[in-house]
Amino acid sequence: MRIAIAASEGAPYIKSGGLGDVMEALPSALSRIPGNEVALFLPYYGKIRNNPAYKTELVAQFSVSLGWRQQYAGILRLLDRTDGVQVYFIDSLYYFGNRNGAIYGDFDDGERFAFFSKACLDAMVSMAFIPDVIQCNDWQTAALPVFLSAQYSPLFPGTKCLFTIHNIEYQGWADGPFFDDVLALPEGYRGMLDMNGAINMMKGAIETAHMVSTVSESYAKELMYPYYAHGLDGVIANAGWKLTGITNGIDTNTFNPATDPALPAHYTKTTLKKGKALCKAALQEEVGLPQKADTPLLVMVTRLVGHKGLDLLCYAIEDLLANEDFQLLILGTGEKKFEDFFLNLAAKYPDRVSAKITFSLGLASRIYAGGDIYLMPSKSEPCGLSQMNAMRYGTVPVVHATGGLRDTVSGVDENGKGGLGFTFQSYNGDDFRQAVVNCLNLYHNQPTAFRALQKLDMSQDFSWDKPAQRYMNLFTSMCNG
Ligand code: GLC
């Protein structure tokens, strides 16, 4: 099958969050399935352009029309990809090359990514690469299915489009005139993108894509409700017949405690006890916590933003510190109020709390390996990847049973039996605290059961093989439908 994937980020070239990880592993996993031809389209950001490691060749150039604008686009094929995925960068100095710093957040993001979406289609046409399926991701590529449906379908006979939602908080809002001025779509499409007089590109994608997916089965159900859908619940409910959930995997080659080059010691299920103890001692030293082998180390690797459930931790932590024996380590950056909270907490309890307000992939790995218990009390979570990373490294998760967390971490009882981690059902600080206490009790009072749980977590198959097969099944049904 010929598969084109369009996204605004993809590791290792460019990544700001989980979407970047998925766009590294999913194309690769799909290309390993015999008979598939996979092409990944990404914007050619300055950060990629300026990285000498990424050698490219120019394979096409043309201009993209956006209303009255004619904007140059070059298609650069990456030369050194070895796994069979063809990576194409959409080159535009104006929209991507000359913007400094962050990849999102410019005044004209709507126009930038409408350009990208259209340029991907123009690129496929100019390379005569007409795929069976185009998979688009999040609002930045939400205009693609709309353009495909409105203007490109004669050039793509039989091509089906899947729109995948990773993050519904950002929807590609623009003011009303954007419809004529930038998108310049036929009048009949106005209603599909209109939301109360404004333009919402994600709404357009949900209405025009042949199928819509999100990144876990539970989240697909949750999206029908206003609490999760950020205003799009009605639109999603109407499109319910074409919405499915496919739970992400993780890159089990990168995230492997037996080989991860960032770790001071390596281990497998059978050498877990010794290997983790070495990683824990080294981690405690690295982050300035006392090297106590028997004190459970609670860890979090997260963006410090509201929906990650940090308010529950802020609520419960003083009480936990007063009554329980543990150390806490947090890695991440984000909202200032949370950064300050954890820095202050670390200053107040220097022997028990460490806060690393930074972004570090190496330290993240050492935390998955050196921690005992992984906290992820997210308010909502489309899938979540780090809970799977943690389990792969034998770190027991404590999670809010929502979205992908519900699907990847089945709950254990107080003896650590019957699941993979500790869960709490309703989003409140006392229930979260109790789940942490239950997990700490297991650690202290039933070390054998705790160890068995760690091993069970390490034995799970979180690889992309099964999810990739589910995408294939979906693609096949779309093409036959
Ligand atoms: C977004 C979601 C996260 C998901 C990731 C990859 O970052 O918030 O839950 O794991 O996308 O799909």
Side-chain angles (χ1 to χ4, degrees), residues 17-19 22 166-167 215 248 303 307-308 381-385:
L19 173 62
V22 173
H166 302 256
N167 187 342
V215 288
N248 289 328
R303 280 182 297 127
H307 85 258
K308 292 293 177 185
E381 196 60 76
C383 179
L385 302 171

Side-chain angles (χ1 to χ4, degrees), residues 309-350:
L310 296 159
D311 44 351
L312 298 195
L313 184 59
C314 295
Y315 167 85
I317 192 65
E318 288 282 359
D319 193 305
L320 284 167
L321 284 165
N323 294 302
E324 304 289 333
D325 171 35
F326 64 89
Q327 296 174 337
L328 173 70
L329 166 59
I330 293 205
L331 170 67
T333 60
E335 288 173 29
K336 188 160 185 317
K337 66 170 181 188
F338 293 125
E339 294 186 351
D340 289 347
F341 180 91
F342 290 112
L343 285 171
N344 289 335
L345 197 69
K348 188 168 166 194
Y349 301 97

Side-chain angles (χ1 to χ4, degrees), residues 352-405:
R352 302 191 61 193
V353 178
S354 174
K356 296 291 163 201
I357 306 302
T358 175
F359 179 83
S360 162
L361 291 177
L363 180 54
S365 273
R366 291 191 287 282
I367 291 176
Y368 294 130
D372 296 300
I373 296 168
Y374 191 79
L375 306 181
M376 197 155 174
S378 307
K379 194 170 194 172
S380 65
E381 196 60 76
C383 179
L385 302 171
S386 61
Q387 80 280 13
M388 291 188 265
N389 297 341
M391 287 188 273
R392 175 114 172 105
Y393 285 64
T395 301
V396 173
V398 176
V399 306
H400 177 211
T402 186
L405 295 174

Side-chain angles (χ1 to χ4, degrees), residues 287-304:
V287 302
L289 290 169
Q291 285 182 315
K292 292 187 176 172
D294 297 329
T295 300
L297 179 54
L298 309 189
V299 295
M300 262 182 117
V301 177
T302 184
R303 280 182 297 127
L304 296 173

